[in-house]
Amino acid sequence: MTLKCRACLLVLLLLSPLVSAQSFIVSDIRVEGLQRISAGSVFSAMPIAVGDVADDYSIRETARQLFYTGNFDDIRIGRDGDVLVIVVVERPSISAINIDGNKAIETEALLEGLKGAGLAVGQVFQRSTLEGMQLELQRQYVQQGRYDANIDTEVLPEPRNRVSVNIDVDEGTVASIKHINIVGNDVFEDEELLDTFELKTTNLLSFFRNDDKYAREKLSGDLETLTSYYMDRGYLQFSIDSTQVSVSPAKDEVFITANVTEGNKFTVGSVGLSGDLVLPEQDLMRFVFVGEGQTFSQQLVTSSEEYITRRLGNEGYNFAKVTGIPEVNEDEDTVDLKFFVDPGKRTYVRRISFTGNRRTEDAVMRREMRQMESAPASASAIEQSRIRLQRLGYFSEAKVETTEVPGHDDLIDVEFEVEEMSSGSIGASLGFAQAAGLIVGVNLQQNNFLGSGKQVGIGLNSSRFQDVYNFSYTNPYYTEDGVSRGFNVFFRSTDLAEVNVASYTTDTVGGSLNFGYPLSETQRLGFQFGLSNTKITAGRFAVQEIRASPRLLEGVDTFYESTRLDSGLYAGPEVIRPISELPEGALTIPSEPGFLDENGSEFLNWTITSSWSSSTLNRGQLATRGSAQSLSLEVSMPGSDLEFYKANYRGEIYFPITNRWVMHFRTQLGFGDGYGDTTELPFYQHFFGGGFGSVRGYEINTLGPRSSPPSIYDVTQPVTAVGEDGNPLEVGGPDGRQFGYVLNPATGLLDFQTIQNRRRPPPFGGNTKIEASAELLFPLPFIKDQRRLRTAFFLDAGNVFDTTCRRDQLNCFDIDASELRYSAGIGVTWISGFGPMTFAIAKPLNASDIDREEVFQFTLGRGF
């Protein structure tokens, strides 16, 4: 045989399938045609190996197993002597998947669905899978009412045995509902039943509600609602016999028909419990809301099942099952109810764990637990623990799951999952103002300091007119049973005379020690013991409420001018005399003394503050359910330099309207007064109103009484002092100039003038505060996570009053409802990494001429 013939025979033998061949022992296996798939993957899928006997069966099984991997389009098996030769043609891999035209279903969701079916970048391409997904996608669009949707696919070959898949989606339009018909109803009218449906025929509001677009899921929900409507009204045997959904030839209109059988109306006969009653029957019957003679209601039966199950769960039977079993008496149209109780085994908590708390220590969370490890698992204690975590204000959300311990039917693990958020605020400022000069400030308020659950506040603020330093610390768990202890020290020095708008200067140093005692899960009692020393210096332009006027100005030389013509011109040399030689009665006596005139200018006060608080809010920040109240009374103890008291009440409540809309009401009431030798509340303890947390739309602290402008005796221009003998007097300042007062020869009194504020008299506050607010909280569209964001329409009302108004004091009223100020607007609060950021746009509704309006307001570190 020639060499050429032998070569042809070898090729023929190699490429021909071994369908019918003699058995042989495989000495080697050679795989040809591989590009992307490794030879090891092929060998691992083969049932035959080197040294095995190859026969017809093993060859066919090898081909079948290799095809089963889905990696090959063609497989040929041949023999070269004792070498098994396998020639394969690989299927291409997917290099890219491009989807275009989809809007109703997001691209990410489509790619995820394709990946689950085996179509993803890098995987082996199979046309049958693509065709199946094309049909499934078409079906999903049909379920959304898009009957004219069309899906086109294109597979493009690429180098290195790869393909790209293009999917072109024509979603079409959602068919609108033209008619909904219920057939077989006699008891209730169509309109009454259709009002319960989410799906509606096209109406004026359909453009906004989109409720006339057919969707299979919505129809299923509406049919369940229809069944519940009848079952809750006694029609126990109600049934939906069939439903038909037809589409118009143009595929743009849908017609829905439901055929129903109402049946008879049933009333409840007897009601009882059966099964293993691990609790007294009287205890469980309290949670049965169905009574003899009532119209049967499936909703009440279901509620009874749920409440009995919860009651058993509170005793540790967390896997209890309660089933209401009706026994129908069709002759009398009555139904007897038996609630079968299967408590299961009593379960115990093996372990309590926490996840999501990156900053907060486990110990801080564990001390809020009302469910203990190794104790019977109580559903109410577990839920109360979750609520307490959420009320801390450290977490935007707290979830809990209970899981069975594998291999034990009486043990569970409790896992709390939290999502942390900012639990404090930090702020820094550096600036310059013409009046205040350089302003430097740092403020830190952290309610969960370093994750320890302790509250720390630091404030350092300095400017030309004010220096404030304070430090506060509170440990909410000073003792294991929840007694809190904290302290606060501060120093504040204010010289408002430096900005020419102030009435007084204060230097205050003080501190306080506070304790809190838990009364219940939701109530606390607090006590605070404080000591402060305040020194007040009335400036040149102190208002009359602080220091009576007219008065001589400090720093002006103590001389007066005794000669002056009515024209204001001087006849000859001025005659200057000492103030001590003023004629009797030349000084005008003020009508009312100021606070400092009566009480002095330095006060050492000991105060005791008692407080009560109650909170059932579901969150520590941006609550949406529950209520909170606080009442406090601060009393300056007898023996202090000033004797006074201040009472404060705060209250708020949330009423959910829907799952996302909430009504919020709040109020604040305050009153203070003096007692003993102190006739009024000290002015530096006054209440102020306006701004965030008060009545928005008005400048902060500007509502209520204003101060009375001071009066000062007229000061002459600088003159050269001359005595009666005509010789100059040796008086004056460093520059040799002399200032004096003017004695009016017509009246015999020193002339004085009132110093008006350039804008409006500064606010003075009052001893009574009344505020209230109503807010409609609503979610912002397109924002998925609403837990850190709050938006609200609001109506605010309030003002500051004073029961000891001075005779000529501006804008000062005793408590008067007609003097309440109102505003309305919209506000947004965002819990950022630096604390709450709050914006508000408000319009005052009845501002007076003296009120200061502020339409746009912003603050960092305080929410509403």
Side-chain angles (χ1 to χ4, degrees), residues 60 378 453 481 501 557 594 621 629 748 763 816 819 855:
R60 288 195 299 272
S378 170
D481 54 357
V501 296
D557 292 330
Q621 294 189 68
Q629 298 182 83
D816 186 353
E819 292 297 332
V855 175

Side-chain angles (χ1 to χ4, degrees), residues 43 117 156 169 259 322 369 393 412 465 493 565 603 678 757 827:
F43 293 147
L156 301 177
V169 180
N259 299 282
V322 179
M369 294 296 100
I412 64 172
F465 74 93
S493 177
L565 297 179
F603 316 108
T678 305
N757 186 277

